[in-house]
Each structure stands twice: as C-alpha cells, then as structure tokens.
Amino acid sequence: MRDARKPRREAGSPTMRIGLAWHILARPSGSIVWHNGGTGGYRSFAGFDPVRRVGVVVLCNNGNESMDDIGFNLLDQTLPLRPPPAQHTAVAVDSLILQRYVGEYELAPTFHLVITREAAHLFAQATAQPRFAIFAESDSTFFLKAVDAQLTFRTDGLVLHQNGQHVPGRKVH
C-alpha cells in the first residue's frame, strides 16, 4: 500500500499527484490519499489521511454529481462543501417544439446523446448509460431529476451542462 500511494506524476495542479491508482492531495497538514468512481447512477469516494490514520467511504445511489467534496470535508473540514444543486421547475412545452429536439447529438466521437419522445415527454440517453426523463424549464432549456445536469437546445445542436462543464453537441441524426 505504501508503494501504491507514492506520488508518481503530476495530476493537473501543484497540490495533486497520482500514485498507483490513488490520487494524493497535498495539504499543509499532510496529504489525503483518495480515489473515486461511478457507473450506472452510482458514485463513490474512498479516502484517508495517513498521518491521522483516519479514512472515509462515501457511497451515493442517485448518480448526482461527484460526492468527493463530502469525503474531502469529512477528512479535512477546511475543504469546502459545494452548495446544493439549483432547484428547477418544470413547465409545459408545445409538442412541435419538443419534436424538433428528437435526434442524436455527438458530444465527442465516442459519446453521443440520443433524445427520444413519448407523448409530451422527452428522454435522454447517453452512450452506455440508462435513459432518463428530461423536463422543460423553458422552450429550450431542460433538466434531469436523476442527475444534476441540464440541456440547452440550440439551432445547431445542444449543450450539456454538468459538473461545471458546458459540452456542446452537434445534431447528427
């Protein structure tokens, strides 16, 4: 385990390094060794402070954004918690407008988002992920209840807003 948590390369910031499958966050009082993951609507975080000999595991079954901040805060209360996701209110949208959004959108060469319609409801399914209902907030903005993500439809495609990123996708079908 000691070899696994030995920093082997940088990881995008001066305070973050990578060992053997473990991330190492440098802090003034020592380091936090951690790893996270997620699949199919589940998220996890495991971390420990080797100096204090304290560890935490955070498991989440709703697929919402990363739970890392909870794990970090449990290990070091000076590391902030993110504010809760914004509240959204669903509104009705004309079926002709909904029909315009049906199709396949390419966000990356191997990552597509397929929008389907059943009656007055739209659904989004990302590559290798389950299908989720999306709810209109306006004629062009939609949100998911299953995960903290929003979609903005444009004339040339859409934008996926999730985890602080805004990923455009062009309509391919």
Side-chain angles (χ1 to χ4, degrees):
M1 186 64 183
R2 192 176 357 258
D3 285 343
R5 65 179 196 237
K6 178 182 174 187
R8 307 218 178 242
R9 67 181 184 124
E10 294 182 17
S13 82
T15 61
M16 191 68 69
R17 309 258 313 160
I18 296 178
L20 297 176
W22 288 97
H23 304 277
I24 300 104
L25 174 65
R27 306 176 356 259
S29 61
S31 61
I32 291 177
V33 181
W34 64 280
H35 197 80
N36 65 1
T39 185
Y42 299 91
R43 301 285 310 160
S44 63
F45 173 93
F48 62 94
D49 180 333
V51 173
R52 292 181 28 232
R53 300 179 55 85
V54 174
V56 300
V57 173
V58 180
L59 303 173
C60 178
N61 69 352
N62 68 6
N64 285 347
E65 64 183 81
S66 169
M67 307 308 295
D68 297 355
D69 64 321
I70 295 171
F72 284 125
N73 183 265
L74 288 168
L75 290 167
D76 180 349
Q77 291 182 352
T78 67
L79 298 172
L81 289 169
R82 276 184 255 157
Q87 296 297 311
H88 300 278
T89 303
V91 299
V93 173
D94 185 271
S95 62
L96 293 174
I97 293 172
L98 294 178
Q99 190 58 40
R100 279 191 256 157
Y101 302 142
V102 171
E104 184 173 347
Y105 299 81
E106 181 181 64
L107 287 80
T110 60
F111 187 74
H112 289 216
L113 194 59
V114 176
I115 305 298
T116 56
R117 179 176 163 217
E118 291 181 14
H121 302 285
L122 289 182
F123 296 85
Q125 184 168 14
T127 302
Q129 295 184 21
R131 182 176 86 142
F132 295 112
I134 60 175
F135 303 88
E137 203 164 31
S138 74
D139 281 357
S140 62
T141 60
F142 289 73
F143 65 95
L144 286 85
K145 293 180 181 178
V147 297
D148 185 21
Q150 298 79 43
L151 297 171
T152 302
F153 288 93
R154 306 182 313 194
T155 55
D156 61 339
L158 60 72
V159 178
L160 169 64
H161 310 279
Q162 188 173 19
N163 295 328
Q165 297 185 2
H166 309 284
V167 182
R170 67 180 179 87
K171 193 170 188 178
V172 293
H173 290 103

